[in-house]
Amino acid sequence: MEAPDRNLGLDLVRVTEAAALSSSRWLGRGDKNAGDQAAVDAMRLSFNTLPIDGVIIIGEGEKDEAPMLYNGERVGSGQGHAVDVAVDPVEGTNLLAYGRPNAISVVGIAPRGSMFNPGPSYYMQKLVVPPQAKEAVELDAPIGENLKKIAKALGKDMDDLVVFVLDKPRHKALIQEIRTAGARIQLHTDGDVAGSLMAVDPDNVVDVMCGTGGTPEGVLSACAIRALGGRMLARLDPQSEAEAAALAEAGIDCKQVFTEETLVRSDDTYFAATGISGGAFLEGVAFTGTHAVTHSLVMRGKTGTMRRIETRIRLDKLMEISAVKYD
């Protein structure tokens, strides 16, 4: 038996809260770069207070041409646990810019050397299911067959199932196959980290997330999926000749099937997410005039713990001490 030790997830949530609070001022204003920059600045400053020796494996890198929180950057105080860090200061920058639901701020950490480094891979085919269906799915099986097995594992009829799919041209055939199978669909323009979390959250109506989304987002999601006992099956899925050539040059096998356990090779994970724009998954940042209210999820893989946290922040007190201008 082990004595309880420090839950770094409760430190991480301060990082995602700061990013959400700062970026939420840009909700619906049509400037995704400004919203993302606000989140990056607040997150980076908050990281400096954490008792970790962190290296960013999944960051704001070449894909978004972001200036900070880049892959390889060191974060934290430099003291304490040596960890790999995955961040997405605003998951769903377009959702934030156009005032759409489910923009969130997310951070995951795991012991140093345990996170898969996607290198030049930007896109990944994914299938995410809750714990009850963990052994029922195969990545190469037809989606209709997988859905039948998932429904049976969950004790549901086929038309009870809700499948999260990104509304992209590449998913036209997939969407038709799901409809033919008889399952229901939630189509989202962006945000497959949120989709993965919905699929493994026991309180959410989504049962499955499938389709091709970001490789970095897949690794980040795996931190949470491990904590909640769900299953992710994934394979690199380059969407351009340039991406395919870069993967071939790097000697990366695009046929390999990953799971949440090979994307993050430790169950000692921590994950935090805070809602920015609101939605069915996490409520967004609300301003009352005197306070800000945030809603977050915090998970710890080692104990399988998930906490929902509502934070009320007095803006006048915060602004007396904060280096970030939240107002």
Side-chain angles (χ1 to χ4, degrees):
M1 301 294 291
E2 297 182 25
D5 56 359
R6 182 168 186 163
N7 185 344
L8 289 173
L10 298 176
D11 294 311
L12 282 184
V13 76
R14 295 175 58 205
V15 175
T16 56
E17 283 176 353
L21 191 61
S22 185
S23 63
S24 66
R25 293 296 192 182
W26 293 93
L27 177 68
R29 294 171 66 182
D31 190 341
K32 71 174 187 177
N33 292 330
D36 194 38
Q37 186 66 63
V40 168
D41 292 343
M43 182 174 277
R44 193 169 191 270
L45 187 63
S46 298
F47 259 124
N48 292 337
T49 67
L50 296 192
I52 60 171
D53 177 13
V55 175
I56 292 182
I57 303 298
I58 305 296
E60 296 277 270
E62 296 175 357
K63 184 178 179 183
D64 296 317
E65 299 181 351
M68 292 185 187
L69 293 173
Y70 53 84
N71 296 352
E73 184 176 349
R74 305 298 287 259
V75 294
S77 67
Q79 306 296 319
H81 296 281
V83 295
D84 290 341
V85 180
V87 303
D88 201 340
V90 179
E91 205 253 339
T93 52
N94 283 321
L95 301 179
L96 172 62
Y98 298 109
R100 296 170 182 153
N102 295 324
I104 58 177
S105 178
V106 289
V107 173
I109 64 174
R112 179 72 53 80
S114 62
M115 277 188 190
F116 172 70
N117 189 331
S121 174
Y122 293 152
Y123 290 96
M124 173 182 276
Q125 178 190 1
K126 307 169 197 173
L127 175 64
V128 181
V129 296
Q132 304 95 305
K134 190 170 183 175
E135 305 302 328
V137 291
E138 298 179 26
L139 190 61
D140 290 324
I143 187 62
E145 182 179 320
N146 274 326
L147 291 175
K148 287 180 184 178
K149 292 180 178 179
I150 293 166
K152 182 178 179 180
L154 298 181
K156 294 185 174 186
D157 294 332
M158 177 66 79
D159 59 4
D160 292 335
L161 292 184
V162 176
V163 185
F164 179 109
V165 183
L166 291 178
D167 190 8
K168 306 291 184 182
R170 61 179 176 265
H171 291 149
K172 182 178 180 179
L174 173 64
I175 291 167
Q176 186 56 53
E177 289 172 16
I178 296 170
R179 288 171 174 163
T180 299
R184 298 178 293 159
I185 302 175
Q186 278 193 15
L187 291 175
H188 294 256
T189 58
D190 299 276
D192 68 342
V193 173
S196 295
L197 295 177
M198 291 179 193
V200 295
D201 180 356
D203 297 322
N204 201 279
V205 299
V206 170
D207 300 295
V208 188
M209 192 283 283
C210 64
T212 293
T215 304
E217 289 83 352
V219 179
L220 182 50
S221 300
C223 292
I225 293 168
R226 290 207 64 154
L228 296 182
R231 169 54 41 95
M232 171 185 279
L233 298 176
R235 180 190 289 119
L236 303 185
D237 188 15
Q239 296 296 296
S240 69
E241 292 183 3
E243 184 181 357
L247 289 168
E249 184 177 348
I252 296 174
D253 183 6
C254 290
K255 296 181 180 179
Q256 180 180 355
V257 175
F258 296 92
T259 71
E260 74 287 346
E261 294 179 350
T262 53
L263 290 173
V264 180
R265 298 183 304 277
S266 171
D267 68 355
D268 193 14
T269 62
Y270 297 91
F271 180 91
T274 300
I276 302 174
S277 62
F281 175 56
L282 274 173
E283 292 186 48
V285 178
F287 294 97
T288 69
T290 58
H291 290 72
V293 183
T294 63
H295 297 84
S296 305
L297 289 177
V298 182
M299 305 177 198
R300 186 181 187 187
K302 189 175 182 180
T303 59
T305 305
M306 180 174 74
R307 290 178 169 89
R308 297 183 184 273
I309 298 176
E310 178 180 298
T311 304
R312 297 184 64 84
I313 303 158
R314 268 187 60 183
L315 292 172
D316 60 337
K317 297 291 288 185
L318 178 62
M319 292 310 302
E320 288 177 2
I321 61 173
S322 176
V324 178
K325 293 183 177 181
Y326 293 110
D327 59 354

